[in-house]
Amino acid sequence: MDQSHPASHHPARPTFSELFTPKLVTVWREGYRLPQFKADFMAGLTVAIVALPLSMAIAIASGVTPERGLFTAIVGGFIVSALGGSRFQIGGPAGAFIVLVAATVQREGVDGLLLATMMAGVFLLAIGYLRLGTYIKFIPYPVTVGFTAGISIIIFSGQIVELFGLKLAGKEPGPLVPKLIAVGEAAGTLNISATLVAVLTIVTIVTVKRWRPGWPGMLIAVGLASLVVALLALPAETIGTRYGGIPRSLPFPALPALSLDKAIAVLPDGVAFALLGAIESLLSAVVADGMTGRRHRSNCELVAQGFANIASALFGGICATGTIARTATNVRAGAHGPISGMLHSLFLLVFMLVAAPLASYIPLAALAGVLAVVCWNMFEKQAFATLLRASRGDALVLMATFLIVVFRDLTEGIVVGFVLGSILFIDRMSKSIAVEVDQPLVQEDVADSSNAYDASEATDADTVVYRISGAFFFGAASTVGTVLDRIADQRKNFILDCSAVPFFDSTAANVIEGAAHKAKRAGVRFIISGAAPQIRRMLINHGVKRPLVTYAASIRDARAQLKSET
C-alpha cells in the first residue's frame, strides 16, 4: 500500500434506528419537563390560530368542503409531528397542492382524490424506507423558486372569482388562460360586498403584520370580516350558505372506494402528490433547520409524511405535507419540539368540537383574501429577481420552470427545470476541469525541500507530465481526451498526475484506458500518480493496469521509478 495514501476512515453507515427514530423520541430522551411543555403549548396554540382559516381556505380552493382541510391538519398534522424526522415541522394541507387536488377532484371525484392521497402515502413510505429522501435535496434552487412562483400565480388566479364574488356562466376552467377569459366574461356580475370583504381581509392582515407582527393577523382578519358580514347582513357567500357549515367531530375512518380501474386512473395523481409532498416537506424541514441550527432526518420525515397521508385519506382529508409558513411560525413562536405540532392539531380538534357553528359565518371572500396574501408571500420576488440577474443559465431554468408550471403542468415544470438544471451543472463542471503540462512538476519538486530534485532533472526532456485538476466525468471526457491524444509524441515517458482529481466515472476511466493503449502502441511508458484508492480501483476495473500502466503515489515517486529503471 502507498504510504502517501493511508486507508481512509469513512464514518460508519447510519443504522436503521438512527435514520428512522422520530424526533419526538429524541426530544423525550433528552429530557422533557414543564418549561419545554409550556413553550410547545404556546407555540402549538399560535400555529393552530394561523392554521384554522388557512386549512379551510386551502380545502375550498382545492374543490372540496372546508372541513376536509381541518381533517387533514388534525389527523395528518398530528402524525407528521409524532413520527417525523424534524423537531419543528407542522403538517397539514398546503397551497402547493391546490392545483393538483382540484384537477383530481374535477376528473375523478372526491373518492378518486382520497384513493390518490392514500397511494401517495404508500409511495412516500417506499421513498423513505428506500432512503431516497437524501437525493431530493439535489433539486436546483431556481427550480424551487420558479415552481413556488408559478404555484402562487395559479392559486391566485383561482381566487379571483371569490375575491370579486363573480358568477361564471359555466364551470370554472382549470388552465390559466381559459380561466382568465371566463373571469373577464363574468366581470359584469361583480359583487361589491364580496369585493369589500376581501379588501378588508387583506388590509387587516397587512396592517396587523406591520404594526403587531406577533398577533394572529389571518384569524383577526377573518373574524372581523365575518362580524361585518353578519352585522350588516351583506350579500356575500359564507361557508354556511354554500356548504351548510362544518361538522362538530371527526368522521370514523373508512377506506375510499377501491377498484383496479380507479387505482390505474389516479396513479399519476398519486405519484404527483408523493413527489410534490416529498419536495415540499423536505424544503420546509430545511427552512426549519436554517432557522434553528438543527438537522432533520429526511427519510424519517418522508415515512411520517407517508403515514400522515394514508391516515388523512382514511378520515376524509386531502394531501398532507410539511408547510413552510406554519413551520416557520412554529419556530418563531418558541417551540421546543414535535409536541407543539401535535398540540396544534389537538387545538384544531377542540375548535371543531366546540366552535364549529361559528365557521358558518366565515365569508368565502375573506378566505380568498387570506389565500391572496399567501400567494403574495409565496412568490419570492427578491429571489426571483436575483436569479434573473445571476446568470443566463439560472434565468433559463427559473423561467422554464415558472412558465411550464403556469401554462402547462406542475410535474412537467419540475421535471423540465430539473433536467435543465442538471445540464447546466454538467456544462459548468465540464468547464472547471483543467489539464496542465510540465509546470506543476517543477513547482512541486522545487517546493519539496525535504527531498528535492535538481531543476534540470525535473524538466527531463524524455518525460512529459500532465496534471488533471477537477472532477473527471463524462462531461469533461472530450476535453481531457483531446489533450491526452498528444501523448504519442517524441517523449519516452508519460506521467499522468491525478492527485487533484476528486472523482472519476466510467467514461473517464475509458478515456484513460484508450490513452494507455495509445501510449503502449507508441512505445511510451505510462505512469499514473497520485490517484486516490477509489479512483485506482475504478481504473483497474476498466483494465488500466499492468502492463499498460504502473501506479505511483506522487510525481516524485513516478520519477524515482523511471530513474531506477534506467
Side-chain angles (χ1 to χ4, degrees):
M1 177 182 292
D2 297 327
Q3 296 302 313
S4 58
H5 291 287
S8 57
H9 298 283
H10 298 288
R13 189 177 182 183
T15 63
F16 183 89
S17 175
E18 291 170 336
L19 286 173
F20 295 101
T21 298
K23 285 291 185 176
L24 178 63
V25 175
T26 302
V27 169
W28 194 260
R29 287 172 178 170
E30 292 173 353
Y32 194 79
R33 301 290 184 269
L34 184 60
Q36 289 83 15
F37 177 76
K38 287 181 178 178
D40 283 337
F41 184 92
M42 294 308 300
L45 180 59
T46 302
V47 176
I49 291 172
V50 173
L52 177 59
L54 202 52
S55 298
M56 291 188 288
I58 291 172
I60 292 171
S62 301
V64 297
T65 51
E67 70 271 13
R68 294 190 185 274
L70 293 176
F71 296 162
T72 307
I74 293 169
V75 178
F78 187 90
I79 293 177
V80 164
S81 295
L83 302 181
S86 170
R87 286 175 179 259
F88 307 102
Q89 186 82 280
I90 299 295
F97 280 89
I98 288 176
V99 180
L100 290 176
V101 172
T104 304
V105 171
Q106 188 174 20
R107 190 176 62 255
E108 302 294 341
V110 174
D111 281 342
L113 169 65
L114 298 180
L115 181 57
T117 301
M118 185 171 289
M119 292 171 69
V122 175
F123 295 147
L124 284 166
L125 288 177
I127 293 172
Y129 282 127
L130 290 173
R131 307 183 184 186
L132 301 179
T134 308
Y135 301 102
I136 294 177
K137 65 185 178 184
F138 296 142
I139 293 179
Y141 180 59
V143 174
T144 61
V145 173
F147 174 77
T148 54
I151 285 289
S152 69
I153 297 295
I154 296 175
I155 296 173
F156 180 79
S157 70
Q159 300 310 302
I160 295 175
V161 171
E162 300 295 355
L163 285 169
F164 297 101
L166 302 177
K167 302 294 182 184
L168 299 182
K171 201 166 186 180
E172 184 175 342
L176 179 64
V177 175
K179 181 179 296 186
L180 294 179
I181 292 174
V183 167
E185 292 173 348
T189 65
L190 183 141
N191 183 327
I192 297 296
S193 297
T195 304
L196 291 176
V197 168
V199 172
L200 173 64
T201 303
I202 295 171
V203 170
T204 303
I205 293 173
V206 173
T207 303
V208 171
K209 183 177 181 180
R210 180 178 180 126
W211 298 106
R212 290 291 185 269
W215 291 10
M218 289 184 180
L219 188 63
I220 291 173
V222 171
L224 178 61
S226 303
L227 188 63
V228 168
V229 169
L231 292 179
L232 301 181
L234 296 178
E237 269 200 291
T238 65
I239 288 179
T241 59
R242 182 176 296 183
Y243 301 105
I246 62 174
R248 301 187 64 172
S249 63
L250 283 174
F252 285 104
L255 287 171
L258 296 174
S259 71
L260 180 60
D261 290 341
K262 179 69 78 171
I264 293 173
V266 301
L267 178 61
D269 302 302
V271 173
F273 291 168
L275 292 177
L276 182 55
I279 295 168
E280 187 82 1
S281 62
L282 294 187
L283 185 60
S284 176
V286 168
V287 169
D289 288 350
M291 295 176 69
T292 62
R294 300 282 187 173
R295 292 186 62 186
H296 72 280
R297 297 173 184 139
S298 57
N299 293 300
C300 179
E301 183 64 28
L302 293 181
V303 168
Q305 300 289 334
F307 284 121
N309 276 275
I310 293 172
S312 179
L314 289 175
F315 281 89
I318 59 178
C319 302
T321 187
T323 56
I324 296 175
R326 276 159 276 174
T327 299
T329 300
N330 188 40
V331 173
R332 286 193 291 264
H336 175 75
I339 289 178
S340 65
M342 298 163 67
L343 288 172
H344 128 272
S345 297
L346 294 178
F347 285 131
L348 291 175
L349 177 60
V350 170
F351 169 79
M352 283 190 62
L353 298 176
V354 176
L358 297 177
S360 299
Y361 297 98
I362 297 176
L364 298 181
L367 294 180
V370 168
L371 284 181
V373 174
V374 170
C375 292
W376 176 261
N377 294 331
M378 279 181 68
F379 198 118
E380 300 176 71
K381 296 165 283 296
Q382 185 175 354
F384 200 96
T386 300
L387 287 170
L388 285 177
R389 296 191 302 265
S391 69
R392 291 182 179 178
D394 287 335
L396 174 63
V397 174
L398 172 72
M399 290 306 300
T401 305
F402 174 71
L403 294 174
I404 292 174
V405 166
V406 170
F407 294 106
R408 283 282 301 171
D409 179 77
L410 276 71
T411 307
E412 285 182 23
I414 293 176
V415 171
V416 171
F418 180 79
V419 170
L420 286 176
S422 300
I423 293 173
L424 179 64
F425 171 77
I426 291 169
D427 178 65
R428 288 171 174 170
M429 288 297 294
S430 66
K431 292 176 180 177
S432 68
I433 196 165
V435 183
E436 300 169 332
V437 183
D438 286 334
Q439 186 61 29
L441 174 62
V442 177
Q443 291 176 344
E444 176 181 310
D445 286 343
V446 172
D448 189 355
S449 59
S450 62
N451 189 22
Y453 283 102
D454 183 87
S456 62
E457 184 181 30
T459 55
D460 179 6
D462 290 333
T463 302
V464 62
V465 178
Y466 282 15
R467 181 184 182 90
I468 303 177
S469 303
F472 190 4
F473 68 114
F474 63 90
S478 176
T479 301
V480 178
T482 300
V483 176
L484 294 184
D485 281 343
R486 304 172 190 164
I487 65 175
D489 57 12
Q490 302 302 315
R491 308 294 182 97
K492 296 179 180 178
N493 308 307
F494 175 69
I495 300 174
L496 181 65
D497 183 52
C498 298
S499 58
V501 179
F503 171 75
F504 253 59
D505 70 357
S506 57
T507 304
N510 185 63
V511 170
I512 299 299
E513 181 188 15
H517 281 289
K518 188 171 184 178
K520 185 179 181 181
R521 289 194 299 270
V524 177
R525 175 72 187 281
F526 196 138
I527 302 177
I528 298 176
S529 69
Q534 66 272 19
I535 292 177
R536 183 180 293 194
R537 283 195 297 271
M538 169 72 75
L539 291 170
I540 291 174
N541 288 337
H542 280 75
V544 184
K545 54 188 177 181
R546 289 180 181 273
L548 282 179
V549 303
T550 56
Y551 289 90
S554 66
I555 297 176
R556 179 172 302 282
D557 289 346
R559 281 205 166 262
Q561 281 187 28
L562 295 173
K563 188 175 181 181
S564 65
E565 294 172 3
T566 58

